[in-house]
Amino acid sequence: MAEEKAGKAAGIAPAQGAPRRNQRPLSIKDIARIARVSHPTVSRALQNSPLVNAKTAEKIRKIADESGYRASAVARGLVTRRTRTIGLVVTTVADPFASEVVCGVEQTANDHGYSVFLADSHADPERERKVVRAFAERRVDGILVTSSRVGALYLPMLKEMEVPIVLVNDQHPGAFVHSVMIANFEGMRAVAEHLLGLGHRRIAYLGDQFGYQSDAERLAGYRAALEAAGLSAAPELIAHGNSKPDAAMAAMERLLAARPTAVCCYNDMTALGALRQIRARGLRVPEDFSVTGFDDLFFAEYLQPPLTTVRQPMRRMGQLAMESLLRLMEGEESVPQIRVEAELVVRASTGRVKE
Amino acid sequence: MAEEKAGKAAGIAPAQGAPRRNQRPLSIKDIARIARVSHPTVSRALQNSPLVNAKTAEKIRKIADESGYRASAVARGLVTRRTRTIGLVVTTVADPFASEVVCGVEQTANDHGYSVFLADSHADPERERKVVRAFAERRVDGILVTSSRVGALYLPMLKEMEVPIVLVNDQHPGAFVHSVMIANFEGMRAVAEHLLGLGHRRIAYLGDQFGYQSDAERLAGYRAALEAAGLSAAPELIAHGNSKPDAAMAAMERLLAARPTAVCCYNDMTALGALRQIRARGLRVPEDFSVTGFDDLFFAEYLQPPLTTVRQPMRRMGQLAMESLLRLMEGEESVPQIRVEAELVVRASTGRVKE
DNA sequence: TTGTACGCGTTATCAA
DNA sequence: TTGATAACGCGTACAA
C-alpha cells in the first residue's frame, strides 16, 4: 500500500516553483483500500452511521485510528458547504478585555467542533478590508466582532457577507441585529452612586473616544446618578481619552484643573493612566482622591491601592456570543440583544471625600 | 444569469435537518459564464497570469470585482494542497505575554496571505489532543506554539504532523528544532547585577513552575550574578510559583521568612503578586524592599512604583517566529534558534538597600 | 491566447 | 448493508 501510494505521489509532476508537499496525508481512499471496502463505506463508518455493518465499521475505525488518518476538513467543507470555522475580529488581541473575550469564544467554539480564524483589525481600514475578504474566501460559517472601532466602510462589507454575525459590545447600535453587551448604564451609575455615597460632589468622568456606544451609555449612567442627587455634570468635569493609559494621563491632567475629588474612568486601562497622573500631582489615592475603573481586568485587584471597578464577565460574554452564533449558524433563532449584568466591586481606590 | 443560478440552487434538495445555505456564493463558473469565457481563463485572469489577453483579463477582473466574487480558499486548498493557514497554539490568550505574541504572529501571517487558527490549550491534555487533531484535519501548513506548558503526550503528537513547527519560548529544549527565545540568562543576570549594584546582598528569586526551560535559565542568570559577586544563592531565598499573581503571593510569603531585601521575580505577573504580599507585610517599595519583574508588560510602567523589569519584545518575537515559519513552509532553511536580546528597564521599584 | 479534461478528498445520491 | 458515481469549486496539464 505504502509503496503504491508513494509511487503515485512521486508520479505527480515535480514542483516547479512552489514546493509541493512530498508526503501527502492518507486519504479516505487509502483507508478504503486497506480495509478492502469502498471509500463511502469508510466515510459512513467514521461518521458512526448506523447503515454500516458493526464489525466492518469497527475494523475501519481501527485501521483509521492506527494509521493516524485525519479526514480532510478542507474536502469536507467543499462538499458540505459548511466549514465549521468562524471568523473572530478584534481591534487588537493585545488588549486584556479583548483577549478575555477571545478566550471565551475560542473555548466554546472548540467545544462545538468549530475552529476559529483570528484577525486583528487594528482599527485600520485597510486591514479591515483584508480581514473581511479573507473570511469570505475562507467561507467561514459565521463572524464574531468584539469591541469594534470600525470604519464606516467596514460595516457594509460585513453585512454583504451572507453569514450570521454577532457583536460583543456593539459600538454601532442599529447596524447589526445580534449582540452581547453589558449593562453599561447601570454599571457606571452604580459607580457614581458609590462615590456620591462617599460624600463626593465634584466627580469627573474620563471617557473613551467620543462617539462610541458603550462610552455614551456609561456617561449617561454617570449623568443619571449625579442628576438624581441634584447635581449636574459640569462640562469641565468630562473628558475623553481612547482607552489607553497614556491618553488617559493627558485627559486627567485637564480634568484636574476643574478640581474634582473623584474620577469615574471609562475602564481599567484608562484608570491606569489616571492614577499615574493623579499621583504625579502629589495626590494620594484614596485619601485625597478617588478613582474607579470598569472591566475588572486581572490587574485591578493588584494595583496599589486595589481598584474599585465594575466587573465585566468578559469570558462569559465571549461564550454567550459564541453560543448565540452557533444557534444562528444552525438556522435557529437567537435573542437579538443579550445583556449581562454589571457588578460593582468596591476596593480601596475609593474613599470618603476629604474635608 | 442570476435567475439561472437561483433556479439551480433552488433545484437542490431542500434541507432536511441541517440547514443548507440557500444562497450559495458565486463560483468561478458563474464569473466565466458572465464573461463568456471558460473558467480556467477566469482563474488565470484573477491570478494576473500573463497568458491571458490584457483586455479579457481586465473585463474579467471588473466583473469579478463588481459581483463581489471571492474565490473559495477551500476549493483552492484542496487542489493546491496548501491551505495558507497556520495553527497557533497558546496556553491561554488571556495572558498579556501570549496575547502580544499572538498579535505579532497574526499581523505577519496576514501580511503574507496566511490566516491563523487560534487554539487555547489551557495546558489541558484533553484540549491539547483536540487542538492537534483539529490542526491536522484543517490541513494547516505550519504550526506555531507559544510558551507551551505541554504535556508529555502532546509532543509526539505535534511531531507526527508533517508540517514545520516553530516555538516561541521553547520550554522543552531538544524536542523541537526551530524556536525564538529571549536571552533569559543574560536578562536575569542583569537584573541581579542591578540589585547587587544597589547594595543588596540578600536577594530572593521567585520563579515559575519548576522544570521549565525559561525559568531554569533565568534562575541560572540570577545565580551567576550572585556568585560573581562572591555570594551564593541560599536555598531559602529561592521559591517557585506558576506565573500567576496569587501563587506568587503565597511564594513570596515563604520567601519573606528568609529576610531578603529584594526579590527577582520570574516575570511581571509574578511581580504583581509579590508586590501585594510585600505591602501586606507593611514593607514599602522601594524604600524597604526592591522588586523586579520580567517581560515589561503594558502595566509595568503604570504600577506604583513603576516596575523595574526586563523588556521582552513580545510582538517582535511573534513576528520573527512567523517569518521563520514562513521560510520553512516555503521549503527554505531557517535559523534553528533565533535569540533576541533582553533589555533591563530600570524604574522605581528598585532602590538602594536600607541600612 | 484559450478551452477541454481531469483531479484534489470528501459527502450525497442512487441502485444493487 | 454496500458500492458506483456524481458533485463541490478550484488549479493545471495539455490540446487547440
Side-chain angles (χ1 to χ4, degrees):
Chain A
M1 299 301 165
E3 289 150 307
E4 188 182 327
K5 180 154 204 311
K8 189 183 170 194
I12 296 280
Q16 354 155 321
R20 191 165 251 79
R21 191 140 306 129
N22 41 7
Q23 186 180 329
R24 69 173 64 177
L26 287 169
S27 82
I28 195 169
K29 289 183 183 173
D30 296 317
I31 305 301
R33 208 178 310 131
I34 300 172
R36 302 184 178 285
V37 293
S38 68
H39 74 268
T41 300
V42 175
S43 178
R44 288 186 277 255
L46 265 30
Q47 292 175 66
N48 296 315
S49 160
L51 299 115
V52 59
N53 180 289
K55 292 184 67 174
T56 326
E58 187 51 44
K59 185 178 77 176
I60 293 172
R61 279 193 286 265
K62 185 160 174 287
I63 292 171
D65 191 46
E66 289 175 355
S67 65
Y69 167 70
R70 295 285 181 267
S72 165
V74 180
R76 180 183 296 136
L78 186 58
V79 49
T80 62
R81 318 180 110 290
R82 299 191 71 190
T83 55
R84 299 203 169 267
T85 60
I86 68 146
L88 174 55
V89 200
V90 299
T91 306
T92 169
V93 258
D95 169 84
F97 176 86
S99 60
E100 286 282 350
V101 173
V102 169
C103 190
V105 168
E106 200 274 342
Q107 293 248 1
T108 313
N110 275 24
D111 288 346
H112 293 265
Y114 279 78
S115 293
V116 176
F117 280 119
L118 178 72
D120 274 28
S121 74
H122 289 266
D124 170 12
E126 179 58 30
R127 288 203 111 81
E128 286 171 355
R129 294 190 79 87
K130 291 177 76 171
V131 163
V132 178
R133 184 177 192 106
F135 285 173
E137 291 180 350
R138 299 291 177 189
R139 300 292 193 262
V140 298
D141 293 337
I143 293 182
L144 228 39
V145 183
T146 184
S147 343
S148 61
R149 302 267 183 281
V150 301
L153 78 158
Y154 183 38
L155 271 77
M157 287 181 66
L158 272 176
K159 304 192 80 167
E160 259 179 32
M161 295 195 58
E162 303 289 341
V163 297
I165 300 179
V166 176
L167 282 83
V168 176
N169 273 11
D170 188 1
Q171 304 292 17
H172 302 267
F176 294 95
V177 177
H178 298 276
S179 64
V180 174
M181 43 204 327
I182 194 166
N184 285 307
F185 179 90
E186 292 79 359
M188 193 57 87
R189 186 177 58 186
V191 165
E193 285 169 349
H194 165 66
L195 290 169
L196 287 164
L198 291 170
H200 292 275
R201 286 299 171 269
R202 291 192 63 79
I203 304 171
Y205 176 82
L206 206 177
D208 191 12
Q209 218 163 314
F210 190 75
Y212 289 110
Q213 180 71 358
S214 52
D215 178 62
E217 291 177 3
R218 291 178 197 178
L219 178 54
Y222 155 87
R223 282 210 155 98
L226 293 204
E227 285 163 15
L231 301 169
S232 68
E236 69 271 22
L237 286 176
I238 296 173
H240 287 271
N242 64 359
S243 275
K244 290 185 198 149
D246 54 353
M249 283 187 70
M252 193 67 223
E253 183 170 18
R254 293 195 298 277
L255 285 177
L256 285 173
R259 299 279 160 201
T261 64
V263 62
C264 301
C265 294
Y266 169 74
N267 63 9
D268 292 353
M269 292 296 271
T270 302
L272 228 41
L275 275 167
R276 185 166 176 179
Q277 182 64 258
I278 289 161
R279 285 188 179 118
R281 294 312 188 85
L283 296 167
R284 293 166 303 165
V285 178
E287 295 83 353
D288 306 325
F289 205 93
S290 289
V291 178
T292 65
F294 204 108
D295 287 348
D296 196 22
L297 300 181
F298 66 91
F299 60 78
E301 63 174 310
Y302 292 100
L303 291 180
Q304 177 66 8
L307 187 66
T308 292
T309 189
V310 172
R311 180 166 300 151
Q312 190 160 193
M314 301 164 282
R315 218 170 280 205
R316 171 85 182 134
M317 290 167 75
Q319 180 188 341
L320 288 169
M322 186 64 214
E323 285 171 354
S324 179
L325 187 61
L326 283 167
R327 282 192 293 277
L328 294 169
M329 291 188 301
E330 292 301 324
E332 301 166 20
E333 293 295 312
S334 183
V335 189
Q337 304 264 349
I338 297 175
R339 202 160 154 284
V340 302
E341 294 305 310
E343 180 197 351
L344 177 67
V345 181
V346 177
R347 297 207 182 91
S349 68
T350 46
R352 289 212 65 83
V353 69
K354 197 178 170 183
E355 206 85 37
Chain B
M1 300 302 166
E3 289 150 306
E4 188 181 328
K5 180 154 203 313
K8 189 184 172 195
I12 298 280
Q16 353 153 314
R20 190 165 251 76
R21 190 136 308 128
N22 41 9
Q23 186 180 328
R24 70 174 62 177
L26 288 168
S27 83
I28 195 169
K29 287 183 182 171
D30 296 317
I31 305 301
R33 208 178 310 130
I34 300 173
R36 301 183 178 288
V37 293
S38 67
H39 80 264
T41 301
V42 175
S43 178
R44 287 187 277 255
L46 265 29
Q47 291 176 67
N48 297 314
S49 160
L51 298 117
V52 59
N53 180 287
K55 292 184 69 176
T56 323
E58 187 53 43
K59 184 177 77 176
I60 293 172
R61 279 192 286 265
K62 185 160 174 286
I63 291 171
D65 191 46
E66 290 175 354
S67 63
Y69 168 70
R70 295 284 180 269
S72 164
V74 179
R76 179 183 296 137
L78 187 57
V79 48
T80 61
R81 317 182 110 283
R82 299 192 71 192
T83 55
R84 299 202 168 269
T85 59
I86 67 145
L88 174 55
V89 200
V90 299
T91 306
T92 168
V93 258
D95 169 84
F97 177 85
S99 60
E100 287 281 351
V101 173
V102 169
C103 190
V105 168
E106 200 275 340
Q107 292 248 1
T108 312
N110 275 22
D111 288 346
H112 290 81
Y114 280 77
S115 293
V116 177
F117 280 119
L118 179 72
D120 274 29
S121 75
H122 289 266
D124 169 12
E126 180 56 30
R127 286 205 113 80
E128 286 171 355
R129 293 190 79 87
K130 291 178 73 171
V131 164
V132 178
R133 185 177 190 105
F135 285 173
E137 291 180 348
R138 299 290 178 189
R139 299 293 192 264
V140 297
D141 293 337
I143 293 183
L144 227 39
V145 182
T146 184
S147 341
S148 61
R149 302 264 182 283
V150 301
L153 78 159
Y154 183 38
L155 270 79
M157 288 182 62
L158 271 176
K159 304 190 81 167
E160 259 178 31
M161 295 196 57
E162 302 289 342
V163 297
I165 300 179
V166 176
L167 282 83
V168 177
N169 273 13
D170 188 1
Q171 304 292 18
H172 303 266
F176 294 95
V177 176
H178 299 275
S179 64
V180 173
M181 42 204 329
I182 195 167
N184 284 307
F185 179 90
E186 292 79 359
M188 193 57 87
R189 186 178 59 186
V191 165
E193 286 170 348
H194 164 66
L195 289 169
L196 288 164
L198 290 170
H200 292 274
R201 285 299 173 267
R202 291 192 64 78
I203 303 173
Y205 176 83
L206 206 177
D208 191 12
Q209 218 163 315
F210 190 75
Y212 289 111
Q213 180 71 358
S214 51
D215 177 62
E217 291 178 3
R218 291 178 199 177
L219 177 55
Y222 154 87
R223 282 210 154 97
L226 294 204
E227 285 163 14
L231 301 169
S232 68
E236 69 271 20
L237 285 176
I238 296 174
H240 288 270
N242 65 0
S243 274
K244 289 185 200 152
D246 55 352
M249 283 186 70
M252 193 66 223
E253 183 170 18
R254 294 195 298 278
L255 284 177
L256 284 173
R259 298 279 161 204
T261 62
V263 62
C264 300
C265 295
Y266 169 74
N267 63 10
D268 292 352
M269 293 296 272
T270 301
L272 228 41
L275 275 167
R276 186 165 174 182
Q277 182 63 258
I278 289 161
R279 283 188 180 120
R281 293 312 189 85
L283 295 167
R284 293 165 304 164
V285 177
E287 294 83 353
D288 305 326
F289 205 93
S290 289
V291 178
T292 65
F294 203 108
D295 286 349
D296 196 22
L297 300 181
F298 66 90
F299 59 78
E301 64 173 309
Y302 291 101
L303 292 180
Q304 177 66 7
L307 187 66
T308 293
T309 189
V310 172
R311 181 164 301 152
Q312 188 160 194
M314 301 165 281
R315 218 171 280 208
R316 171 85 181 135
M317 289 167 74
Q319 180 188 341
L320 288 169
M322 186 63 214
E323 285 170 354
S324 179
L325 187 60
L326 283 167
R327 282 191 294 275
L328 293 170
M329 292 188 300
E330 292 301 323
E332 301 167 18
E333 293 294 314
S334 184
V335 189
Q337 305 264 349
I338 298 174
R339 201 159 153 288
V340 302
E341 295 304 311
E343 180 197 352
L344 177 66
V345 181
V346 177
R347 297 210 181 91
S349 68
T350 48
R352 290 211 64 82
V353 70
K354 198 178 170 185
E355 206 84 40

